[in-house]
């Protein structure tokens, strides 16, 4: 994956959310210092407001434009932080620079409001802050870089679709696509790069399977099978084999192993149908990912992490457990998918 400058990532997101071309705020490396990024963002917003004020726009119109810009800034920062966190770089100086840029823009926005919106009341400002917070909470997203089996590089940006879009999507039967934009269930997906019909179909199917796995994990495990499976301290291959083969023999063997590890007899609920169904779903999703890329485990892991992190039903504890289970199962299932693919090639 090519190295991305964190401040450039932020600038691109802010540009998009303010209605500009993604690269319109780009510049030399020095131009991505917090003060420089803030200066360009504030210059654009302030210039547009001043232009409209000079053209005769009243306070109500200017307030509406200001509110839209503030919401765009909130969403841009939210998305940029999500991307950088997904890349594992949102820490130290990078996190400090992002926070500094946000602070400078917020200060500049406040000064701008006092200068250009003198009639704006404290109530209006409070309403703006509340609206921005709600908007921020609804603008979660994550980005992935994928190399397809055809050798094409894709950037996949996944965001939560609006409630109305999600509803119409379900009524339409699952997916909608126009250009390089795909809607799958509650997700709106933007794809940058070449995606042929077969790859697009695989991607749509994979995204649907990932959403199904999130639902399955959240609603399942009534008897604690996921917790007990993790407590067994099995490696990925052993856990995957156990999960997919819940025969009476495997249940007995798992109970015996649990007893040795935990020092007590495991109840019959140490494994159950929830775990098997989840492992089956994960295996199917992994096979679908294998149609799209030569690194199916990495792609599926990233999609699951991003998707579950966007899901409001998952608190940090549930998310940590889900990712621990996913990592172990994917480690064990990877070999099965690779072996199956090799057998398919050999038979052709």
């Amino acid at each position: 994956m090519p190295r991305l400058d964190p401040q450039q990532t932020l600038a691109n997101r802010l540009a998009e959310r303010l209605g500009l071309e993604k690269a319109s705020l780009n510049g030399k490396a020095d131009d991505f210092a917090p003060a420089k990024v803030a200066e360009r963002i504030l210059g654009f917003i302030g210039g547009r407001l001043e232009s409209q004020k000079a053209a005769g726009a009243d306070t109500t119109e200017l307030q509406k434009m200001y509110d839209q810009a503030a919401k765009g800034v909130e969403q841009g920062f939210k998305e940029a932080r999500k991307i950088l966190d997904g890349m594992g770089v949102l820490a130290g100086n990078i996190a400090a620079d992002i926070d500094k840029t946000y602070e400078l823009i917020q200060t500049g926005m406040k000064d701008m409001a006092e200068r250009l919106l003198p009639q704006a009341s404290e109530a209006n400002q409070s309403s703006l802050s509340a609206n921005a917070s709600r908007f921020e909470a609804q603008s979660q997203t994550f980005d992935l870089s994928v190399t397809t089996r055809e050798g094409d590089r894709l950037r996949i940006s996944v965001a939560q679709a609006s409630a109305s879009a999600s509803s119409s999507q379900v009524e339409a039967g699952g997916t909608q696509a126009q250009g390089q934009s795909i809607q799958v269930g509650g997700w709106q997906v933007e794809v940058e790069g070449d995606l042929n019909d077969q790859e697009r179909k695989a991607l749509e199917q994979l995204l649907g399977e990932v959403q199904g796995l999130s639902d399955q994990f959240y609603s399942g495990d009534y008897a604690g099978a996921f917790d007990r499976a993790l407590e067994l301290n099995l490696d990925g291959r052993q856990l995957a084999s156990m999960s997919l083969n819940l025969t009476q023999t495997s249940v007995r063997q798992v109970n015996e192993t649990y007893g040795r590890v935990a020092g007590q007899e495991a109840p019959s609920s140490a494994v159950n149908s929830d775990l098997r169904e989840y492992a089956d779903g994960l295996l199917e999703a992994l096979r679908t990912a294998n149609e799209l890329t030569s690194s199916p485990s990495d792609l599926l892991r990233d999609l699951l992490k991003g998707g579950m992190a966007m899901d409001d039903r998952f608190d940090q504890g549930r998310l940590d457990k889900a990712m621990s289970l996913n990592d172990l199962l994917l480690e064990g299932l990877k070999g099965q998918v690779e072996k199956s693919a090799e057998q398919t090639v050999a038979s052709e």
Side-chain angles (χ1 to χ4, degrees):
M1 180 186 299
R3 182 180 181 276
L4 294 179
D5 185 289
Q7 286 291 102
Q8 182 177 354
T9 299
L10 172 61
N12 287 342
R13 282 292 164 182
L14 290 173
E16 290 180 13
R17 295 310 166 192
L18 292 173
L20 297 168
E21 291 293 327
K22 183 176 69 173
S24 62
L25 295 176
N26 284 358
K28 298 179 296 185
D30 292 344
D31 291 338
F32 291 114
K36 293 287 188 180
V37 173
E39 180 182 2
R40 293 203 297 283
I41 295 298
L42 292 170
F44 170 74
I45 297 172
R48 190 158 61 175
L49 286 171
E50 289 174 350
S51 175
Q52 291 300 309
K53 185 174 184 179
D58 60 22
T59 300
T60 301
E61 293 172 320
L62 293 175
Q63 182 71 57
K64 183 178 180 180
M65 291 180 61
Y66 179 90
D67 291 357
Q68 291 174 340
K71 290 177 181 179
V73 168
E74 292 291 340
Q75 185 176 7
F77 272 91
K78 180 73 175 181
E79 293 177 357
R81 286 190 174 108
K82 198 79 174 181
I83 293 169
L84 297 174
D85 187 49
M87 295 167 61
V89 299
L90 189 59
N93 291 336
I94 291 175
D97 281 349
I98 297 295
D99 291 342
K100 180 63 175 177
T101 307
Y102 181 84
E103 179 184 339
L104 289 171
I105 291 178
Q106 292 303 309
T107 299
M109 292 289 288
K110 181 179 179 181
D111 294 340
M112 191 184 303
E114 293 174 354
R115 178 168 52 87
L116 297 175
L117 302 170
Q119 299 176 26
S121 65
E122 291 185 7
N124 284 339
Q125 293 300 321
S126 297
S127 175
L128 169 63
S129 297
N131 288 338
S133 296
R134 285 194 294 270
F135 189 87
E136 179 181 0
Q138 297 168 356
S139 63
Q140 294 174 315
T141 186
F142 65 95
D143 281 36
L144 298 174
S145 179
V146 179
T147 301
T148 70
R149 287 194 172 276
E150 299 292 329
D152 297 319
R153 294 297 297 266
L154 307 176
R155 186 179 76 89
I156 302 175
S157 178
V158 183
Q160 292 175 335
S162 65
S164 59
S166 299
S167 176
S168 64
Q169 176 62 31
V170 172
E171 293 173 359
T175 63
Q176 294 175 345
Q178 182 176 3
Q180 290 296 97
S181 178
I182 307 170
Q183 189 177 322
V184 181
W187 285 356
Q188 184 68 32
V189 186
E190 301 294 334
V191 181
E192 292 183 8
D194 295 326
L195 196 65
N196 61 40
D197 290 342
Q198 182 178 351
E199 291 169 337
R200 188 187 199 97
K201 182 178 179 180
L203 178 59
E204 291 174 355
Q205 180 177 337
L206 178 59
L207 293 171
E209 289 169 341
V210 168
Q211 291 193 35
L213 285 166
S214 295
D215 292 338
Q216 200 171 348
F217 188 95
Y218 182 83
S219 62
D221 195 24
Y222 293 117
F226 296 166
D227 286 315
R228 291 191 175 91
L230 291 172
E231 289 171 357
L232 291 173
N233 291 324
L234 302 175
D235 64 30
R237 181 185 57 78
Q238 292 170 323
L239 180 60
S241 177
M242 180 270 287
S243 302
L244 295 172
N245 299 283
L246 297 185
T247 62
Q248 288 298 317
T249 300
S250 70
V251 170
R252 176 180 57 78
Q253 292 173 338
V254 168
N255 286 345
E256 291 174 353
T257 304
Y258 185 92
R260 291 195 299 270
V261 173
Q264 59 183 331
E265 182 181 356
S268 59
S269 59
V271 290
N272 66 13
S273 60
D274 284 333
L275 182 58
R276 178 171 186 169
E277 290 173 5
Y278 187 78
D280 280 336
L282 200 63
L283 179 58
E284 286 305 308
L286 192 59
R287 286 170 175 159
T288 303
N290 192 57
E291 296 177 21
L292 185 65
T293 178
S294 58
S295 302
S297 294
D298 293 339
L299 174 58
L300 182 53
R301 181 181 291 107
D302 288 343
L303 282 172
L304 285 166
K305 180 179 179 181
M308 289 180 172
M310 287 202 311
D311 194 326
D312 292 337
R313 297 173 301 177
F314 282 74
D315 56 22
Q316 191 59 51
R318 192 184 294 269
L319 181 60
D320 290 343
K321 181 170 74 171
M323 292 316 301
S324 294
L325 185 64
N326 289 338
D327 286 347
L328 278 171
L329 287 174
L330 286 172
E331 175 192 333
L333 295 172
K334 180 169 63 174
Q336 294 192 35
V337 172
E338 292 174 347
K339 183 177 180 181
S340 177
E342 290 173 356
Q343 291 174 342
T344 299
V345 172
S347 64
E348 292 178 350

